[in-house]
Amino acid sequence: MAEYHIIVCSSTNQMLRAQKILREQSIGIELIPVPAEFGTVCNTAIKLASNDLEKVQGIINKAEIHLNGIYPLKPRKYESIMNALKTKRLPKFTNILQKIQNQLDLTVDELTYLLASDDIEQELFKVADRMRAEIVGDEVEIRGAIEFSNFCRKNCDYCGLRRDNNQTVRYRMQTREIVDLAIQMRQAGIKTIILQSGEDQWYTTEKIISLIKSIRSETGLRITLSLGERTQKEYEAFRSAGATNYLLKIETTDEKMFSDLHGGELMGARAQHLKWLKELGYLVGSGNIIGLPGQSVSHIAQDLMFFKEMGIHMVGIGPFIPAQGTPLENLSPGPYNLSLRTIAVARLYLRNVFLPSTTALATLNDAAQAKGLEVGANKLMIIATPERYRADYCIYDNKKAVNMSDAISIVKTLNRRLPNTIAEEI
Ligand code: SAH
Ligand code: SF4
């Protein structure tokens, strides 16, 4: 079996510099969340093959990258977890746990079994929670989202912001307004903000670049972009301007469902955007929607396989919620339990990834977002969009606006840890 090391840097900037330099030198690397036992200010580590270690050390020293250290990445056995859960009553489940323990890959049938079986649900949740604790620890990452425009040139069937939805009252925020919000986020202890919008070409390449630069220079915050599809050149320009993360959900990997929901567009074309983003050195988020029309559990299993194959760093899994004024407005919301199970299976199968407990999950019921954190998730997103725009950012109906005090109280109730930049009382 291949052996790996991880590089843990002293800051995110150092980590991003290191990954850029190593990629330029054609060293095969992956970015993974820093394993729990190495908790640092930078939560992303660089994974490399141990064979490349000597060469990498030379490059890192020459570039004067500040490190916390380079450590062997020991294959985890999860022995105590697995043994506690082995049960004669559930031989198939036990068998799959054994495969996970032995670092073996799972088949689509095995993933489908984990996702679909009611009788293993409680055990599945338990093992996912323990793996979360062991792999990424107790800290809950908190990100702040600024939904700065709800104009969209696309027409996704599920989304309330789709071009043809004339019930949506449209708004755009100006650069200064967005930067001021970012300053507030920084003061509240947030380290990464998500700039999200419909696909709005009013924000030209230059406008987005200047927005990124202003936020970087005035706050130093890390920036996740979630602008939908842009050109490869634009992704490159945004990366050079200082954006480090990009969130682009694949929604479903089933080609037919994808093109039915997106006016004939191809899933492969969307996947190509994710490849570009990875090549450009972004930390890439993706994800899917649970409960889309025609979706089966094995479709979801295949989505998870896609995330693994693509090396996606953050996976947002959320239920479908109907949105008024869309072709799917009369559909029922996606199933709650299947959404939770998908998070749990993602933790077991993808292991070292960031998994948010999503806003869509929070919208399904009041307890859902806390529950997501108990079945494998390690991240929450708070909505920082000004009150006066919130109702109009109606991706789906009754979207819950989770704020900082909600997030703090969820984390505290679960006895988990807040990032040390966030004060417990606000
Ligand atoms: N325009 C950008 C970002 C805004 S949409 C983009 O499409 O990437 C952000 C996410 O909202 C989408 O990726 C989709 O997963 C989610 N979304 C949209 N409509 C939804 C619905 N009705 N139910 C659940 N999630 C939805
Ligand atoms: Fe536009 Fe994104 Fe909604 Fe699709 S999901 S209609 S791209 S905002």
Side-chain angles (χ1 to χ4, degrees), residues 152 156 158-161 196-199 226-229 247-249 251 270 288-289 318-323 360 393 395-396:
C152 190
C156 309
Y158 42 82
C159 178
L161 305 190
Q196 191 177 82
S197 65
E199 288 201 10
S226 175
L227 316 175
E229 293 172 19
L247 169 60
L248 188 73
K249 289 175 69 171
E251 322 294 2
R270 181 96 167 167
N288 62 354
I289 302 180
F320 163 76
I321 315 269
Y393 199 78
I395 286 181
Y396 40 77

Side-chain angles (χ1 to χ4, degrees), residues 306-327:
F306 171 85
F307 300 137
K308 183 162 204 170
E309 197 181 300
M310 294 286 296
I312 297 296
H313 193 250
M314 196 282 297
V315 181
I317 295 160
F320 163 76
I321 315 269
Q324 245 176 56
T326 68

Side-chain angles (χ1 to χ4, degrees), residues 134-397:
E134 194 165 321
I135 297 172
V136 288
D138 281 342
E139 182 167 318
V140 178
E141 281 268 312
I142 299 185
R143 305 263 159 113
I146 303 175
E147 299 147 332
F148 65 91
S149 160
N150 68 352
F151 281 84
C152 190
R153 63 176 174 174
K154 285 227 174 159
N155 226 6
C156 309
D157 277 359
Y158 42 82
C159 178
L161 305 190
R162 69 199 300 272
R163 183 182 67 225
D164 289 351
N165 189 357
N166 49 26
Q167 297 179 25
T168 298
V169 179
R170 309 281 169 170
Y171 70 87
R172 288 187 175 110
M173 286 171 63
Q174 302 297 319
T175 302
R176 192 64 243 167
E177 204 178 358
I178 305 171
V179 179
D180 285 345
L181 266 180
I183 293 171
Q184 286 173 27
M185 289 285 93
R186 159 108 214 174
Q187 284 160 354
I190 295 278
K191 287 189 289 188
T192 305
I193 51 162
I194 304 171
L195 299 177
Q196 191 177 82
S197 65
E199 288 201 10
D200 185 359
Q201 298 304 105
W202 185 86
Y203 297 88
T204 56
T205 320
E206 292 68 34
K207 281 201 178 103
I208 298 289
I209 289 175
S210 114
L211 176 62
I212 294 168
K213 287 192 171 160
S214 304
I215 293 177
R216 290 290 306 149
S217 68
E218 293 190 40
T219 70
L221 287 172
R222 282 201 296 278
I223 298 172
T224 299
L225 297 176
S226 175
L227 316 175
E229 293 172 19
R230 293 275 180 151
T231 64
Q232 188 180 13
K233 277 222 143 43
E234 287 180 294
Y235 297 139
E236 193 174 354
F238 301 156
R239 181 74 190 82
S240 305
T244 48
N245 304 33
Y246 208 103
L247 169 60
L248 188 73
K249 289 175 69 171
I250 196 79
E251 322 294 2
T252 172
T253 52
D254 181 71
E255 289 178 21
K256 170 143 191 348
M257 271 170 57
F258 188 95
S259 83
D260 287 350
L261 290 164
H262 300 104
E265 285 179 22
L266 299 178
M267 191 277 292
R270 181 96 167 167
Q272 180 59 56
H273 285 257
L274 291 169
K275 284 189 193 134
W276 286 332
L277 290 163
K278 281 217 70 175
E279 282 160 16
L280 287 164
Y282 278 98
L283 300 175
V284 180
S286 193
N288 62 354
I289 302 180
I290 308 297
L292 289 168
Q295 189 183 44
S296 68
V297 175
S298 77
H299 288 135
I300 297 172
Q302 281 166 33
D303 294 347
L304 294 177
M305 292 179 117
F306 171 85
F307 300 137
K308 183 162 204 170
E309 197 181 300
M310 294 286 296
I312 297 296
H313 193 250
M314 196 282 297
V315 181
I317 295 160
F320 163 76
I321 315 269
Q324 245 176 56
T326 68
L328 306 184
E329 65 182 356
N330 293 322
L331 246 64
S332 305
Y336 174 56
N337 281 50
L338 181 57
S339 304
L340 292 175
R341 277 187 226 150
T342 308
I343 293 176
V345 177
R347 175 60 70 205
L348 254 65
Y349 178 62
L350 305 172
R351 299 174 197 201
N352 217 325
V353 288
F354 288 100
L355 293 177
S357 190
T358 53
T359 312
L361 196 57
T363 304
L364 262 193
N365 75 53
D366 284 345
Q369 207 166 24
K371 188 69 191 167
L373 290 173
E374 288 182 300
V375 303
N378 67 324
K379 196 172 141 177
L380 285 178
M381 188 167 91
I382 63 165
I383 306 293
T385 310
E387 195 90 42
R388 64 183 177 284
Y389 302 124
R390 266 185 217 164
D392 295 327
Y393 199 78
C394 48
I395 286 181
Y396 40 77
D397 297 342

